[in-house]
Amino acid sequence: MSLEEREREYSPSSCIGGEYAPFIDDYRRLSVAAHAAHPPASYRYGSKSTQTLDVFLPEVASGKPALLVFIHGGYWQELSKDDSAFAAPYCLANGIALAAINYTLAPKATLDEIVSECVEAIDWLTTFASVVGIDPNRIFVSGSSAGAHLAAMVALKRRSIRGAVLVSGIYDLGPLTGTSIDRPLKLSSRTIRENSPLLEEIESFPPSLIAWGEIETSQAKKQSQAFAAHLVAAGTRCQSLEVSKRNHFDVILDLADPGTALGAKVHTLISKGTI
């Protein structure tokens, strides 16, 4: 594809008339409400001021709850954990804990550093599970857009992850080269090779749900379809789901809502530990 074609195909808002701010407003509005109704515990998982996370804990009769970790999108350049709590009420109502992770955004951090921070956050949650109040053997990772890429990288690097929910992700970074998305990232051939899950040999990957919205660009859909096929070819238990009438920005709002096609499958994955 030409640069102009790639610019369009990897601009998610091109399918919705270019205006995505109302969806970001929804993330923030719902997250503010979740924080008010269910105040989380906040922790620092690293030495940087940006290396923080919030944990929302449900009340459970006995034992420690499973944890769904959410890594936000924004093409590695926007948003934060404060915009990422919209799934908390659904998780808590079903006895699941939710962790929303913050990470240093580009260009203040390279993509290598961003991936390392997300892995560090998972390591911290696993090490301090008893302090946090979650089951270290039932940690599931999820993410949207760039967050799905980061969740996939975490699942590749940490075998302790019990399952992955990857929504509208980018799994081969090569097509981003030279686009406006690449300007703060400054992707090199090495960075692309070492941070593209689709280019990795899959030796061990947890049961996974790969989802995307019906209203997305053809290349965005192909990225998800290709990675799902890559996982299946490697013997990973994996399901794919195109969510009807949803776009790149609002599909993630279904993440933990058991009344939706995506949310129902997420709850099945967490309750059974498999797809």
Side-chain angles (χ1 to χ4, degrees), residues 40-263:
S42 297
Y43 302 96
R44 179 170 289 187
Y45 65 85
S47 59
K48 296 180 181 178
S49 62
T50 49
Q51 290 180 285
T52 56
L53 55 86
D54 292 335
V55 178
F56 298 81
L57 278 179
E59 294 183 7
V60 293
S62 62
K64 298 293 179 67
L67 175 69
L68 179 64
V69 177
F70 181 71
I71 305 177
H72 70 81
Y75 264 143
W76 308 278
Q77 304 163 42
E78 297 181 75
L79 304 180
S80 75
K81 67 175 177 60
D82 297 331
D83 312 309
S84 305
F86 45 81
Y90 291 116
C91 286
L92 299 182
N94 289 275
I96 301 165
L98 177 79
I101 291 179
N102 225 39
Y103 54 86
T104 309
L105 301 176
K108 290 186 177 179
T110 66
L111 189 58
D112 289 325
E113 291 169 337
I114 292 171
V115 169
S116 293
E117 287 187 19
C118 291
V119 172
E120 189 175 351
I122 296 298
D123 288 345
W124 188 93
L125 284 164
T126 303
T127 300
F128 294 98
S130 61
V131 175
V132 174
I134 52 99
D135 185 345
N137 298 312
R138 291 197 297 153
I139 296 178
F140 298 79
V141 67
S142 66
S144 171
S145 192
H149 162 268
L150 294 170
M153 291 299 297
V154 167
L156 281 167
K157 293 176 179 292
R158 289 296 180 266
R159 295 187 179 184
S160 59
I161 296 298
R162 189 70 182 275
V165 182
L166 311 176
V167 183
S168 300
I170 300 293
Y171 307 104
D172 177 1
L173 303 181
L176 301 181
T177 303
T179 66
S180 59
I181 301 153
D182 186 26
R183 287 171 196 154
L185 296 172
K186 297 180 174 60
L187 295 171
S188 66
S189 57
R190 181 205 60 78
T191 304
I192 290 169
R193 184 178 65 255
E194 294 183 3
N195 293 283
S196 291
L198 190 53
L199 305 182
E200 292 279 349
E201 289 188 14
I202 305 294
E203 296 181 357
S204 177
F205 204 87
S208 300
L209 174 61
I210 312 294
W212 61 91
E214 177 187 8
I215 309 167
E216 301 214 38
T217 68
S218 61
Q219 289 302 310
K221 292 182 181 184
K222 285 180 179 179
Q223 284 263 350
S224 290
Q225 291 163 347
F227 189 53
H230 189 51
L231 291 178
V232 170
T236 299
R237 289 193 289 276
C238 176
Q239 277 192 19
S240 299
L241 175 67
E242 179 171 297
V243 182
S244 176
K245 299 180 182 179
R246 287 297 207 183
N247 63 54
H248 185 88
F249 300 97
D250 63 3
V251 62
I252 195 59
L253 295 177
D254 293 351
L255 177 64
D257 180 355
T260 66
L262 174 58

